[in-house]
Amino acid sequence: MKRQLAFVLGGGASRGALQVGALRALAEAGFTPDILVGTSVGAANAAFLAIRGFNLGSIEELVQVWRDTTLADLLPANYLWLTVRALLNRPAENSSQRMRDFVVAHGLSPDLQFGDIHGVRLGCVACDLNTGRPVIYGLDPIENVLEAVLASGALPPWVAPIEQNGRLLTDGGVVSNLPIEPALQFGATRIIALDLADPASVPVEGKGFAPFLAKMINTVQLRQLDLELALAAACEVHVQRIPLYNKQPVPLWDFRRTDDLISEGYEIARQEIARWQAEQKPGWRGWLDRLFHPN
């Protein structure tokens, strides 16, 4: 059976720019995925590259898409007011429409089905709140790609859950923020995972609901990651995880540091790839490298 390399792209809203830089480093190093699986913003990045093909040219196009986000106001900063509206069952419909319009304007046709994508398999992960289970788009070739990307990124309070065929669909990070298990369902035999979950953004101290919620979400995501890594190990699938921790925490809604994050993601991935390559060298070559290039 042909080996299948999967790139797994985690969720993290504006921090998804880090993935763009990391993907550039992977492409330059000669890594080409057979499978692209993403959650939330990772699903959007994965879909863009699956449609256009994974190469340096399409990655540069994705860079421009991310620069356009700085003007699009996709996740307004007034999230507290949006939360109040959501609790009163009066979600801001314009946020959902703005997200859809942006994605369509940047090349995702409303009629595109997963079976129309060639050269790489695409998977997008959402969550059905009615069943508490993940919804994995892409296993069925007739499913709609735009619906999948929007469901995977339906992140409250900015984007309300989507009611569809008896399901209540929301951001895939609720059930699989770094979708390793879904990649296994697509037949991955090796996984490179771009993880946006940054523990530095979780407050160690502080009282009130906001720090509590941040810690609770972090706990759930860490538990998910442990279980999915254990499952991959049980299936004898090697996972190379690249933790994309930027120098300064960035709020989910703040897209103003896109260029900085792309550069940081590139450097983090480049250093990680160099470490992989050093570990693969024969013992004597690695010893010589450490002798003459100690840094």
Side-chain angles (χ1 to χ4, degrees), residues 86-241:
L87 291 173
L88 295 174
N89 200 27
R90 297 177 61 189
E93 297 294 338
N94 59 327
S95 294
S96 301
Q97 188 62 44
R98 187 185 300 120
M99 188 73 69
R100 187 183 193 281
D101 292 345
F102 182 87
V103 173
V104 171
H106 287 84
L108 209 172
S109 168
D111 300 323
L112 185 71
Q113 297 179 334
F114 282 87
D116 298 325
I117 298 173
H118 303 287
V120 64
R121 294 192 69 188
L122 171 65
C124 302
V125 181
C127 170
D128 180 5
L129 292 176
N130 286 339
T131 64
R133 295 183 178 278
V135 176
I136 303 174
Y137 290 92
L139 295 170
D140 184 346
I142 69 170
E143 289 179 319
N144 184 276
V145 179
L146 177 59
E147 289 180 5
V149 170
L150 294 177
S152 183
L155 177 64
W158 293 280
V159 181
I162 299 169
E163 296 185 40
Q164 184 185 89
N165 300 324
R167 300 185 298 190
L168 187 61
L169 301 170
T170 194
D171 192 282
V174 174
V175 285
S176 185
N177 198 54
L178 190 63
I180 292 169
E181 180 181 2
L184 297 176
Q185 295 189 44
F186 279 89
T189 59
R190 179 187 175 191
I191 293 172
I192 295 176
L194 304 183
D195 190 359
L196 297 176
D198 185 358
S201 64
V202 180
V204 176
E205 299 180 355
K207 298 180 180 180
F209 182 72
F212 165 78
L213 183 61
K215 291 177 183 179
M216 183 177 68
I217 292 172
N218 182 62
T219 300
V220 171
Q221 290 182 348
L222 288 176
R223 182 58 175 162
Q224 289 172 354
L225 178 60
D226 288 345
L227 292 173
E228 296 195 39
L229 287 171
L231 178 61
C235 295
E236 298 183 343
V237 172
H238 182 45
V239 178
Q240 291 168 291
R241 173 174 160 265

Side-chain angles (χ1 to χ4, degrees), residues 47-67:
F48 185 93
L49 294 176
I51 293 167
R52 283 170 168 72
F54 185 82
N55 54 64
L56 286 171
S58 61
I59 292 170
E60 290 310 309
E61 291 181 45
L62 184 56
V63 169
Q64 186 55 53
V65 172
W66 271 89
R67 287 174 177 159

Side-chain angles (χ1 to χ4, degrees), residues 241-261:
R241 173 174 160 265
I242 302 180
L244 295 172
Y245 302 157
N246 54 302
K247 296 175 183 177
Q248 296 179 344
V250 176
L252 294 175
W253 59 88
D254 187 356
F255 289 83
R256 292 172 299 176
R257 289 194 55 217
T258 286
D259 281 330
D260 291 341
L261 293 180

